[in-house]
Amino acid sequence: MIKCIAIDNEPLALKLIESYIDKSSFLEKLAIYTSPEKAIDLLQKKQVDLMFIDIDMPDLNGIDFVKLLDNPPMVIFTSAHCQYAIEGFRLNAIDYLLKPFNYSDFFKSAHKAKNRFEIHQPITTPDKTENNFLFIKSNYKTIKIDLNNIKYIESINEYMKIHLDNSTEVMSLCSLKSIEDKLPDYKFMRIHRSYIVNLTKISVIDRNRIIFDDKIYISVSDKYKSKFQNWVNENILV
């Protein structure tokens, strides 16, 4: 997650950026501010990876504020005027958003920050102790299930049904929430109050429906649509 803040002296513009941050699965909002001065304390005390900052602000504009910082985070400037763009990029800004901008414009800029952020992350070796399996109680037995073999998981009243690659099913008296907490979120996602899917097993996405190889269709509910679409956007080749 990219930890970010937003600074803009216009409340409506700040609220819009806040909503865009909340909508983006790879961004974590730390705080929003109506002036640069209010952000100094947090920038000194916490790790901030990305800052969305308006240029046209009274007392201290966005460009001058970034110049004052000894070790500024990644910066995306916002402004209603294009004449500041060159100076902004001289400060190694990620991007320059010209107001008014929509979520598509915001997402493209934020994704540029994500790409730069990932490039500078240290390469880590996967934890060899991480389990790739779960033990599930079913019919008085305890069954070992390889996570890679799970296609999707379905909630049926108080029971949970695990659908596996080989067309077998394992039933257990267990809530969907309890198994969701044990699954790696980079591979599994809840897309409906009754379904968790293995993202690597998806064959086709048709509008708001997920299709698996054997023509199984599962709809993405409104509650999880935004999160799922963000994942699609991050992995789509356009």
Side-chain angles (χ1 to χ4, degrees):
M1 295 287 282
I2 300 175
K3 297 178 172 61
C4 61
I5 63 172
I7 306 171
D8 198 310
N9 66 303
E10 298 176 6
L12 290 178
L14 188 61
K15 195 69 179 176
L16 182 66
I17 293 175
E18 181 181 20
S19 70
Y20 288 167
I21 292 172
D22 292 339
K23 201 173 179 179
S24 305
S25 62
F26 55 90
L27 298 180
E28 178 185 346
K29 178 188 65 188
L30 295 181
I32 59 172
Y33 299 100
T34 54
S35 72
E37 296 89 342
K38 295 178 180 179
I40 292 175
D41 188 57
L42 183 133
L43 285 165
Q44 291 175 340
K45 293 180 178 179
K46 288 191 176 181
Q47 174 66 39
V48 177
D49 303 312
L50 174 63
M51 177 168 61
F52 296 90
I53 184 167
D54 184 34
I55 292 177
D56 312 294
M57 291 184 287
D59 300 326
L60 183 62
N61 69 48
I63 288 177
D64 288 340
F65 178 69
V66 173
K67 288 179 178 178
L68 290 173
L69 300 176
D70 293 330
N71 187 26
M74 294 184 293
V75 174
I76 294 177
F77 285 114
T78 65
S79 177
H81 307 286
C82 60
Q83 67 263 31
Y84 300 112
I86 294 176
E87 190 173 0
F89 284 119
R90 282 175 180 163
L91 293 174
N92 200 29
I94 297 290
D95 210 348
Y96 187 98
L97 283 169
L98 188 62
K99 297 179 181 179
F101 52 86
N102 57 29
Y103 180 65
S104 177
D105 298 325
F106 174 92
F107 184 85
K108 289 174 184 176
S109 292
H111 210 268
K112 289 180 183 178
K114 180 177 181 289
N115 289 338
R116 185 181 295 185
F117 179 78
E118 290 175 345
I119 288 172
H120 290 90
Q121 291 306 294
I123 299 174
T124 57
T125 304
D127 185 359
K128 295 182 179 180
T129 63
E130 180 183 348
N131 291 332
N132 291 315
F133 59 86
L134 286 175
F135 282 102
I136 302 294
K137 291 184 178 180
S138 177
N139 294 328
Y140 304 104
K141 297 178 182 178
T142 301
I143 302 173
K144 181 182 178 181
I145 295 179
D146 188 332
L147 298 185
N148 294 322
N149 290 336
I150 296 175
K151 185 175 295 183
Y152 66 96
I153 305 168
E154 179 182 8
S155 174
I156 304 175
N157 297 323
E158 294 107 16
Y159 287 84
M160 172 188 67
K161 181 187 288 186
I162 302 176
H163 298 261
L164 302 175
D165 278 338
N166 56 4
S167 297
T168 60
E169 300 168 350
V170 177
M171 291 283 290
S172 179
L173 184 61
C174 176
S175 70
L176 209 60
K177 175 62 177 173
S178 63
I179 193 171
E180 182 182 12
D181 293 338
K182 296 182 180 298
L183 295 171
D185 57 8
Y186 62 86
K187 183 180 289 188
F188 291 89
M189 182 182 293
R190 190 163 188 166
I191 51 93
H192 189 281
R193 70 184 186 89
S194 299
Y195 291 99
I196 294 173
V197 299
N198 186 336
L199 297 168
T200 67
K201 302 291 183 180
I202 296 173
S203 176
V204 176
I205 301 169
D206 182 10
R207 299 179 183 87
N208 292 315
R209 295 188 305 172
I210 291 172
I211 304 174
F212 291 101
D213 292 333
D214 49 3
K215 307 303 179 184
I216 295 172
Y217 294 74
I218 299 177
S219 296
V220 181
S221 70
D222 290 340
K223 180 178 179 180
Y224 301 96
K225 192 179 297 181
S226 177
K227 181 180 179 182
F228 180 72
Q229 187 59 50
N230 287 337
W231 175 80
V232 173
N233 291 341
E234 289 173 21
N235 291 278
I236 196 168
L237 181 63
V238 294

